[in-house]
Amino acid sequence: MPQPFFARLSPLAAIALLLAAVGIGMTVLKAVRYNVPLLPELTTSVWTVEARIGFRGDGGSSKVAFLLPPRVSMARVIDENFVSRGYGLAILEADGRPRTATWTLRRTPTSEQALYYQVKVQGGPVATDASVPPFPPVPDYREPLASAIQAVLSRAREQSADVFSFTEQTLLILADTDDENVKVIRNVDDRRSWEHLVAEILAGARIPTRIAYGLPLERPLVEGQLIPWLEVHNGSEWRGYDAATGTPGYPPGFFIWRYDDADLLRTRDVRDLRLSFSTTQTRVPQMDVAALTGAAFAVQPFGIDLTRLPVSVQNLYHVVLMLPLGALVVAFMRVVVGVPTFGTFMPILIALAFRETQLAWGLTLFLMLVFVGLSLRLALAQLRLLLVPRLAAILVVVVCLMLAITVLSFRLGVEQGLSIALFPMVILAMTIERMSIVWEERGFGETAKETLGSLLVAVCGYYVMKEPHLEHLMFYFPELLLVVLAVTLLLGAYSGYRLTELFRFGALSGAR
């Protein structure tokens, strides 16, 4: 009976499956829920919302206080800016009161003045707070309005089952302009907006409502105004409604700026006051948005947050996190393909050096260094030195060779030769020692085969460890290390034929 490819697989498969599931699960969670991009070149849509406050001064001191968006809306904001043009600026937030930007100037020119407030808003669902409002008192309607409203509410109550369905039925009835009761209601003149009148009508059924003033982020806007939108609470959550049609939901990308009152300005000693809003859409790298909002690390386990480390440490981990991928390449090439190498870590470290020296120059410098070092090592063999002093002598020789190549490259103006110092000298010394032993024991052919195998694995590791997409994934999704570990454990149980053995023993299968 042929031996199975994977031996001792049952407990190992469970461990590998668990590790891979955790790693992939956290990666998918961060990518889908928190919008952390899986590819560095992905972009996302960001809206720039600008409020312009225009006015004229009277030559004396002036003060302009502007209400900023509430905290619940600021959850979608990735950046905000104030343009003051010499005005003093203070951002105040008292307990229970909205944030306010206050501009002041001692001598305000009588010419046209303009103050700007900009926010960059990312897309997403409309954010609503978790506040639970009290039940409103029943308004004291006047006749004939009172009778018309009661008729509408009674009809909606018969056709509904809960707060939201009652609201939808009421709005559908109010949208019927041929209804006699609706005609009476629509003839009311002393109201601020239709949304406020609908809120007053729903208060007759003691349904909590409020008016949200905001901007739809669907198409660019030039000097527009906030639009009112009806919100209804059912005891557990708020839901928006189009008061004109009864359609539940919000305008696309609706950015709420104020509740219940559209008056955002409080001024002193200014005239010709004007407030307008403009919006425009841009595409920005999705990684920048995730970094600014901190969403990239909202689910990092054990407090891991690589972007908050010092920059020098971040640069280090950009390289360190690629080492497991290099080790996986070595394991695959040796266990599955069957490529012989000098040691396990030598190809990985050489591949790291190739990242800095570039591949062609790295191979040239490496072969040059190993050729000269191996020649000197074979010469040292005639002196019959002990093992430890011989290794120390080889290390000194390697350092001298690296120094000589560096100085020569500097004098010749070849900058690539200066990067030879990036090669791991201890690993080179051990490699030269190992090559000399293999040469003495098994001849030149075996030495050349293992040298070429080591270089092949190093080149494969170089391409894997230099891939920018993999570097992005490993740095921003370090959970993938669990997946790499799972694959490595499975490779450790591989007991099938290596690919090189299939070619090696191919003649035997044909002879049957």
Side-chain angles (χ1 to χ4, degrees):
M1 179 180 294
Q3 188 178 9
F5 276 5
F6 290 93
R8 309 179 305 278
L9 195 57
S10 297
L12 187 62
I15 296 174
L17 182 62
L18 178 62
L19 292 173
V22 173
I24 295 175
M26 294 197 68
T27 299
V28 172
L29 177 64
K30 290 167 67 174
V32 174
R33 183 174 179 180
Y34 296 95
N35 297 320
V36 184
L38 292 172
L39 300 176
E41 64 269 16
L42 290 181
T43 61
T44 187
S45 176
V46 172
W47 285 86
T48 299
V49 180
E50 178 184 88
R52 182 185 185 276
I53 307 170
F55 60 92
R56 294 179 183 271
D58 58 4
S61 62
S62 63
K63 179 179 180 180
V64 177
F66 179 60
L67 295 182
L68 303 180
R71 284 293 178 186
V72 65
S73 296
M74 292 298 290
R76 295 171 56 192
V77 172
I78 61 177
D79 194 15
E80 64 177 347
N81 294 291
F82 300 84
V83 180
S84 305
R85 292 187 177 181
Y87 284 75
L89 174 63
I91 309 298
L92 304 177
E93 184 175 13
D95 293 337
R97 305 191 64 175
R99 279 200 316 154
T100 304
T102 303
W103 288 276
T104 54
L105 189 64
R106 182 168 295 276
R107 297 186 181 279
T108 307
T110 57
S111 59
E112 176 70 22
Q113 301 292 297
L115 303 172
Y116 296 89
Y117 171 67
Q118 289 183 348
V119 287
K120 293 186 181 297
V121 182
Q122 60 180 334
V126 177
T128 58
D129 57 38
S131 62
V132 179
F135 293 104
V138 177
D140 185 15
Y141 304 115
R142 296 176 299 173
E143 291 293 350
L145 182 63
S147 299
I149 290 177
Q150 290 302 324
V152 169
L153 294 179
S154 298
R155 180 180 167 187
R157 189 175 291 109
E158 295 175 356
Q159 300 174 350
S160 61
D162 52 29
V163 171
F164 288 153
S165 63
F166 181 90
T167 300
E168 292 166 8
Q169 289 300 320
T170 302
L171 293 176
L172 288 175
I173 295 172
L174 293 174
D176 183 8
T177 56
D178 295 330
D179 188 281
E180 295 299 328
N181 292 313
V182 174
K183 290 180 180 179
V184 173
I185 294 173
R186 287 183 174 271
N187 286 331
V188 175
D189 296 326
D190 56 342
R191 68 170 190 265
R192 287 176 289 177
S193 67
W194 175 249
E195 287 76 15
H196 283 88
L197 179 57
V198 172
E200 188 176 346
I201 293 172
L202 292 175
R206 304 207 67 191
I207 295 178
T209 61
R210 67 183 179 186
I211 307 301
Y213 290 88
L215 294 167
L217 302 180
E218 182 179 15
R219 59 178 60 91
L221 176 69
V222 178
E223 295 187 354
Q225 299 296 323
L226 301 179
I227 65 171
W229 205 258
L230 178 68
E231 287 190 337
V232 176
H233 199 274
N234 70 340
S236 59
E237 63 174 328
W238 290 99
R239 179 179 292 181
Y241 285 93
D242 185 345
T245 64
T247 305
Y250 296 88
F254 194 59
F255 182 70
I256 298 175
W257 201 291
R258 184 85 166 97
Y259 289 108
D260 294 326
D261 190 355
D263 188 9
L264 305 179
L265 291 170
R266 297 290 185 271
T267 62
R268 188 187 68 194
D269 298 331
V270 301
R271 53 193 174 87
D272 298 336
L273 186 64
R274 296 174 305 280
L275 173 63
S276 61
F277 296 87
S278 300
T279 63
T280 186
Q281 185 182 26
T282 56
R283 303 289 300 183
V284 299
Q286 191 173 336
M287 195 63 244
D288 292 349
V289 176
L292 287 172
T293 59
F297 313 103
V299 291
Q300 283 280 19
F302 314 117
I304 298 175
D305 186 347
L306 299 182
T307 63
R308 296 183 183 179
L309 296 174
V311 175
S312 58
V313 180
Q314 291 185 42
N315 293 334
L316 174 64
Y317 275 101
H318 272 289
V319 176
V320 170
L321 289 173
M322 300 304 291
L323 288 176
L325 291 180
L328 182 61
V329 171
V330 174
F332 178 82
M333 295 295 287
R334 293 194 60 169
V335 173
V336 178
V337 180
V339 178
T341 63
F342 287 113
T344 302
F345 297 105
M346 186 273 263
I348 303 176
L349 297 177
I350 296 301
L352 276 179
F354 287 167
R355 280 167 51 101
E356 304 299 330
T357 63
Q358 300 306 315
L359 185 59
W361 276 99
L363 286 172
T364 302
L365 294 173
F366 175 79
L367 292 175
M368 183 188 307
L369 193 62
V370 168
F371 174 77
V372 178
L374 182 60
S375 301
L376 294 176
R377 163 61 181 84
L378 295 176
L380 288 176
Q382 306 302 320
L383 301 179
R384 301 183 181 277
L385 301 177
L386 298 177
L387 175 62
V388 176
R390 187 174 69 222
L391 288 175
I394 295 174
L395 180 61
V396 174
V397 169
V398 168
V399 173
C400 291
L401 290 174
M402 294 172 66
L403 179 61
I405 294 175
T406 300
V407 173
L408 181 62
S409 300
F410 175 74
R411 292 185 176 180
L412 295 177
V414 182
E415 295 184 0
Q416 290 83 354
L418 302 178
S419 58
I420 195 172
L422 298 171
F423 283 105
M425 58 188 69
V426 175
I427 296 296
L428 284 175
M430 296 295 295
T431 300
I432 292 173
E433 172 68 13
R434 175 73 182 274
M435 292 173 67
S436 65
I437 293 176
V438 172
W439 192 318
E440 293 173 351
E441 293 180 352
R442 287 181 282 178
F444 170 77
E446 190 66 26
T447 304
K449 182 165 53 173
E450 292 195 16
T451 301
L452 293 177
S454 298
L455 288 179
L456 175 62
V457 174
V459 170
C460 294
Y462 161 79
Y463 282 112
V464 170
M465 297 167 68
K466 194 176 177 59
E467 168 57 40
H469 296 88
L470 292 177
E471 184 176 344
H472 171 86
L473 286 173
M474 297 306 296
F475 186 79
Y476 292 104
F477 299 92
E479 301 84 6
L480 291 175
L481 287 173
L482 299 178
V483 180
V484 176
L485 178 59
V487 176
T488 304
L489 292 178
L490 291 178
L491 283 176
Y494 183 76
S495 58
Y497 290 109
R498 297 178 176 88
L499 296 180
T500 54
E501 292 174 342
L502 295 179
F503 289 102
R504 180 181 177 186
F505 301 112
L508 296 178
S509 61
R512 292 181 180 179

